[in-house]
Amino acid sequence: MKLSFAKPSLLLACALTLGVAHAAPKQITLPPDAVLLTANDHPGYAKAQQACATCHSAEYMLYQPPTAARPYWDAMVKRMKTVFKAPIDDADMPLIVDYLVKTYGNEQAK
Ligand code: HEC
């Protein structure tokens, strides 16, 4: 009884697998490399690399308004720590915020 059910389903599985393998595209396009934090000689850059590069790409920074002021970035860094448990040392926060506002915010060198 069991055997008579097993055989047709096995054949079906084989047929499906072959069909899928045959229809598979020959080329795959990989997504572009992740955006890295903008390098500069600010001492907060290295700290930000440690604190901000583990969960997501720096693309998120680029999507922030360039008019964003210091309190905005301060709140952002704090939110990453409290909400998402980002491993950020409290002592490093001012330096990271300074790097962010000068690299992506309204204190960028023109
Ligand atoms: C523990 C993981 C983690 C770390 C570390 C982390 N983030 Fe995030 N971040 C997230 C998640 C998750 C989101 C997506 C939030 C959402 O979709 O609302 C996010 C979103 C963002 C965004 C997009 C805007 C927003 O409000 O969602 C920015 C900007 C950002 N992070 C900046 C930072 C900065 C700056 C640091 C370093 C201080 C940092 N992140 C470190 C997890 C992290």
Side-chain angles (χ1 to χ4, degrees):
M1 203 51 168
K2 265 184 190 168
L3 208 68
S4 64
F5 278 105
K7 269 184 177 171
S9 62
L10 196 68
L11 275 173
L12 188 67
C14 284
L16 282 174
T17 311
L18 284 171
V20 169
H22 193 73
K26 286 179 184 137
Q27 283 189 333
I28 47 166
T29 309
L30 294 171
D33 285 348
V35 175
L36 301 176
L37 283 167
T38 303
N40 54 31
D41 50 19
H42 192 289
Y45 168 56
K47 299 282 184 194
Q49 276 186 306
Q50 287 167 21
C52 311
T54 42
C55 299
H56 51 71
S57 93
E59 213 172 344
Y60 281 16
M61 310 332 167
L62 298 175
Y63 292 153
Q64 304 312 302
T67 50
R70 194 168 288 268
Y72 176 91
W73 293 100
D74 190 61
M76 181 72 73
V77 173
K78 284 186 177 133
R79 192 165 77 87
M80 291 303 131
K81 177 158 181 169
T82 54
V83 181
F84 304 120
K85 311 285 175 235
I88 311 169
D89 211 324
D90 282 346
D92 292 339
M93 282 200 186
L95 211 55
I96 293 172
V97 171
D98 198 59
Y99 160 77
L100 292 170
V101 70
K102 286 177 178 161
T103 310
Y104 301 101
N106 72 346
E107 292 181 30
Q108 291 177 58
K110 294 274 146 63

